[in-house]
Amino acid sequence: MQYEVDIGGRRRQVVVERMGDDFAVTVDGHTRQVDAARIDADTLSLVVDTVSPMDANRGPRDPRLVRHGYEVRFARDPVGGQLMVHVGAVPMAVTLNGRRRWGRKVQGDGSSSGPQRITAPMPGKVVRLLVKAGEAVAARQPLVVVEAMKMENELRASRDGTVTGIHAREGMSVDAGALLIVIQ
């Protein structure tokens, strides 16, 4: 899976490949092996293996793996819609594939013009559909769960409405931006 990730105004090219139980994560051409374990719905424990750096005075060292552990928490900013990622105690504003918002802009009264289109925020797999066509939904109601990188992303309605279209099914692989559900 390939991503463009904007972290604090700096765009990075990220490639993630599954390798057995781990992932090979390449950021701007530098690859690391990552073991990811879910702690809860919004938190991951990451163990990142890197090769020890070169010693500038003595030439290259024997390559040895150096392991770093990180606790990573995810939260959506309810006002701006941006994803806040906390690595340890350090917060970072993150956007994926150049998206500045996770949903449609909603007017102050909670309404917006046109249908609400729920799309996949990143490539992954639909693991649960939580609504049916014709069903009335409330603002913030969970609609669908998409799994990506061992994380489940619960997508919610941004306003009240009625489900007018379901364009996904459980078990289906989806690309970033794929239309999943339409609400009128």
Side-chain angles (χ1 to χ4, degrees), residues 53-73:
M54 293 178 55
D55 185 324
N57 298 327
R58 290 182 250 161
R61 288 185 180 171
D62 294 331
R64 288 181 247 154
L65 287 180
V66 178
R67 302 187 112 189
H68 299 281
Y70 302 95
E71 183 173 295
V72 180
R73 289 178 291 119

Side-chain angles (χ1 to χ4, degrees), residues 1 16 18-23 34-41 43-46 122 146-153:
M1 295 181 274
V16 179
R18 185 179 292 273
M19 300 191 65
D21 291 335
D22 295 340
F23 296 91
V34 178
D35 178 15
R38 178 182 300 283
I39 294 173
D40 60 35
T43 310
L44 291 176
S45 172
L46 302 180
M122 62 187 76
V146 177
E147 179 184 304
M149 294 175 39
K150 291 188 180 178
M151 272 192 59
E152 290 187 355
N153 301 285

Side-chain angles (χ1 to χ4, degrees), residues 69-92:
Y70 302 95
E71 183 173 295
V72 180
R73 289 178 291 119
F74 302 88
R76 288 196 186 131
D77 175 2
V79 177
Q82 195 167 38
L83 183 65
M84 291 302 296
V85 177
H86 296 261
V87 179
V90 179
M92 291 174 249

Side-chain angles (χ1 to χ4, degrees), residues 117-164:
R117 298 166 53 88
I118 307 301
T119 59
M122 62 187 76
K125 181 172 132 183
V126 175
V127 291
R128 283 190 305 279
L129 281 171
L130 305 171
V131 294
K132 295 182 172 116
E135 185 175 331
V137 296
R140 306 279 307 139
Q141 178 178 337
L143 305 169
V144 62
V145 178
V146 177
E147 179 184 304
M149 294 175 39
K150 291 188 180 178
M151 272 192 59
E152 290 187 355
N153 301 285
E154 187 176 74
L155 306 178
R156 298 173 177 258
S158 65
R159 65 174 197 259
D160 295 348
T162 302
V163 176
T164 58

